[in-house]
């Protein structure tokens, strides 16, 4: 009887929120090619600022902070359509648009520094197999072996 009451309570708390949660779900990261995956692995390795062979989520955010200025080609403090032609050639333009949509949390058509640094981290999350917030040497090797 106790478990039935608990189940009923959970249903009354969760089900009304389900439509709201569904609307707020972030878009899935776009699929990436083996070459792009290798580039992502290399970026994860570059983020190891203390060279201990493990990359923490904080190290990854610090790395992304430093990368923002590189991507903000026109120096206006946001990533937008104005930066796209310089960032992506014809073959990567669609992927870049998808990534910008993923990072643009307030849907204003631009990605601020905060959105870029604190936004979804698909490369890190895919490499962090045990989801402990740290990518270690074993997980990097596993990511590399998954490449075709």
């Amino acid at each position: 009887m106790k478990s039935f009451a608990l189940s009923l309570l959970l249903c009354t708390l969760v089900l009304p929120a389900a439509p709201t949660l569904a609307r707020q779900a972030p878009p899935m990261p776009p699929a990436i090619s083996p070459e792009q995956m290798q580039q992502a692995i290399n970026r994860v390795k570059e983020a190891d600022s203390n060279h201990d062979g493990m990359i923490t989520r904080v190290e990854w955010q610090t790395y992304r902070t430093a990368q923002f200025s590189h991507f903000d080609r026109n120096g206006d403090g946001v990533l937008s359509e104005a930066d796209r032609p310089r960032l992506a050639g014809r073959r990567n333009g669609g992927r870049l648009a998808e990534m910008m949509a993923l990072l643009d949390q307030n849907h204003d058509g631009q990605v601020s520094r905060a959105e870029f640094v604190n936004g979804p981290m698909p490369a890190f999350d895919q490499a962090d197999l045990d989801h402990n917030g740290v990518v270690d040497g074993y997980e990097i090797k596993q990511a590399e072996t998954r490449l075709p």
Side-chain angles (χ1 to χ4, degrees), residues 42-50 54-55 59-60 63:
N42 292 341
R43 285 192 302 273
V44 169
K45 289 178 183 178
E46 288 173 25
D48 185 11
S49 59
N50 63 1
M54 297 186 294
I55 300 90
E59 282 178 306
W60 185 246
Y63 176 79

Side-chain angles (χ1 to χ4, degrees), residues 29-33 36 43 91-100 122:
I32 60 175
S33 71
Q36 291 166 330
R43 285 192 302 273
R91 60 177 227 254
N92 289 328
R95 173 153 167 69
L96 183 62
E98 290 174 358
M99 287 304 293
M100 286 184 67

